[in-house]
């Protein structure tokens, strides 16, 4: 199964996507994480995309599509994936549709939309802290989910940090871009796939609701 997580930055795609990935045994693929790793490793791709990410702009479609296609051909995604942060444009959604049609014609495809009001998103993002240990990647919030010890991950004990692009100015731009593209994207998934929309006020309840929806969806097909 391929699950596409739709939603503006800060709606919980990463947090919820990672829990679903463990529960459903599907690899979590985040384009933002892939790009940040390329930037940290100072690769050619990293150098090419750094400016876009710093300013909150979208990385060009051709670069994103090539990156995702390469990732989706790796062995750990053979049985499906949770796609977090991709697609973000109608062109990316079309490219994914054709990629899956060619490579995984039998796979089920579902889209989950996380819908959160803008003022709450800004509060969530500017207070977000992430674990610097990549294999952990736990996500905290200074206001709503602080770590037990300041600056330290509860799960693995590594340092926590703020993402460079998690400031009010950049998030406002990222939100604006999301709103420009989201109607077409959501319409695309409403027509082409099963679409489940939810306001994830509480992470555990949202995960349960999504998993119930997925169970129901699987039993219908
Ligand atoms: P995220 O971690 O999903 O918030 O992504 C961080 C940044 O990476 C975004 O603000 C974009 O600059 C870039 N990015 C991630 N995924 C995509 C995508 N599917 N299309 C274009 N840019 C992306």
């Amino acid at each position: 199964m391929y699950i596409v997580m739709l939603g503006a930055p800060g709606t919980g795609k990463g947090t919820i996507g990672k829990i679903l990935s463990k529960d459903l045994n599907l690899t979590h693929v985040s384009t933002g994480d892939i790009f940040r790793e390329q930037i940290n490793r100072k690769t050619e791709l990293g150098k090419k995309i750094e400016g876009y990410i710093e300013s909150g702009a979208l990385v060009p479609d051709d670069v994103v599509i090539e990156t995702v296609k390469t990732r989706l051909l790796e062995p750990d995604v053979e049985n499906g994936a949770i796609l977090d942060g991709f697609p973000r444009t109608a062109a990316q959604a079309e490219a994914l549709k054709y990629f899956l049609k060619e490579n995984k014609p039998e796979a089920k495809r579902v889209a989950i939309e996380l819908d959160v009001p803008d003022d709450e998103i800004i509060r969530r993002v500017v207070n977000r802290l992430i674990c610097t240990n990549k294999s952990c990647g736990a996500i905290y919030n200074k206001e709503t989910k602080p770590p037990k010890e300041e600056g330290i991950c509860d799960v693995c004990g590594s340092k926590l940090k703020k993402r460079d692009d998690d400031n009010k100015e950049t998030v406002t731009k990222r939100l604006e871009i999301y709103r420009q593209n989201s109607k077409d994207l959501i319409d695309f998934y409403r027509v082409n796939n099963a679409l489940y929309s939810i306001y994830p006020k509480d992470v555990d309840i949202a995960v349960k609701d999504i998993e119930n929806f997925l169970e129901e969806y699987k039993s219908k097909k």
Side-chain angles (χ1 to χ4, degrees):
M1 179 181 279
Y2 289 81
I3 301 177
V4 168
M5 304 290 300
L6 300 173
T11 48
K13 297 189 300 293
T15 305
I16 292 175
K18 279 178 194 150
I19 300 173
L20 290 175
S21 143
K22 281 202 187 110
D23 289 358
L24 307 173
N25 200 19
L26 289 171
T27 304
H28 177 245
V29 174
S30 151
T31 39
D33 286 350
I34 295 175
F35 291 149
R36 279 184 289 278
E37 197 190 333
Q38 295 288 327
I39 293 171
N40 287 339
R41 285 173 39 211
K42 301 191 187 332
T43 63
E44 279 307 306
L45 175 60
K47 286 179 202 154
K48 199 160 151 183
I49 60 179
E50 199 166 10
Y52 296 102
I53 295 186
E54 261 173 20
S55 70
L58 289 184
V59 173
D61 281 339
D62 56 337
V63 177
V64 182
I65 290 166
E66 218 28 63
T67 304
V68 173
K69 279 187 181 172
T70 306
R71 179 69 186 93
L72 289 185
L73 289 172
E74 286 171 15
D76 62 325
V77 277
E78 193 136 323
N79 298 320
I82 312 257
L83 295 169
D84 164 1
F86 176 91
R88 265 177 158 95
T89 64
Q92 293 177 17
E94 283 290 345
L96 177 65
K97 180 177 161 186
Y98 287 106
F99 175 86
L100 292 177
K101 203 170 162 189
E102 245 175 50
N103 293 281
K104 301 279 170 191
E106 303 299 325
K108 291 195 171 77
R109 301 119 205 242
V110 179
I112 307 291
E113 181 203 5
L114 305 180
D115 195 9
V116 175
D118 284 4
D119 55 341
E120 190 179 329
I121 286 179
I122 292 174
R123 262 202 328 274
R124 284 186 187 198
V125 171
V126 298
N127 287 302
R128 175 158 65 183
L129 293 170
I130 51 170
C131 177
T132 49
N133 170 6
K134 290 204 181 65
S135 59
C136 172
I139 301 168
Y140 298 84
N141 184 289
K142 282 191 224 163
E143 276 184 352
T144 55
K145 194 193 166 201
K148 290 190 187 100
E149 190 181 336
E150 202 185 319
I152 302 292
C153 178
D154 295 350
V155 182
C156 73
S158 301
K159 275 197 183 147
L160 300 178
K161 69 159 200 170
K162 235 177 115 86
R163 259 170 59 173
D164 295 339
D165 59 347
D166 276 352
N167 54 68
K168 193 167 177 193
E169 191 193 5
T170 311
V171 78
T172 306
K173 174 151 187 208
R174 282 150 67 204
L175 254 176
E176 222 176 271
I177 293 173
Y178 178 76
R179 298 285 174 227
Q180 279 163 14
N181 289 298
S182 63
K183 195 186 167 305
D184 285 351
L185 256 189
I186 286 161
D187 286 348
F188 178 94
Y189 281 105
R190 196 170 284 127
V191 173
N192 284 282
N193 296 72
L195 173 73
Y196 183 64
S197 295
I198 183 170
Y199 173 18
K201 254 190 157 163
D202 174 282
V203 169
D204 295 333
I205 296 174
V207 167
K208 244 190 211 132
D209 285 349
I210 294 169
E211 290 182 349
N212 285 341
F213 163 77
L214 293 172
E215 272 307 309
E216 224 171 87
Y217 171 73
K218 274 196 273 182
S219 67
K220 270 193 212 150
K221 296 269 156 171

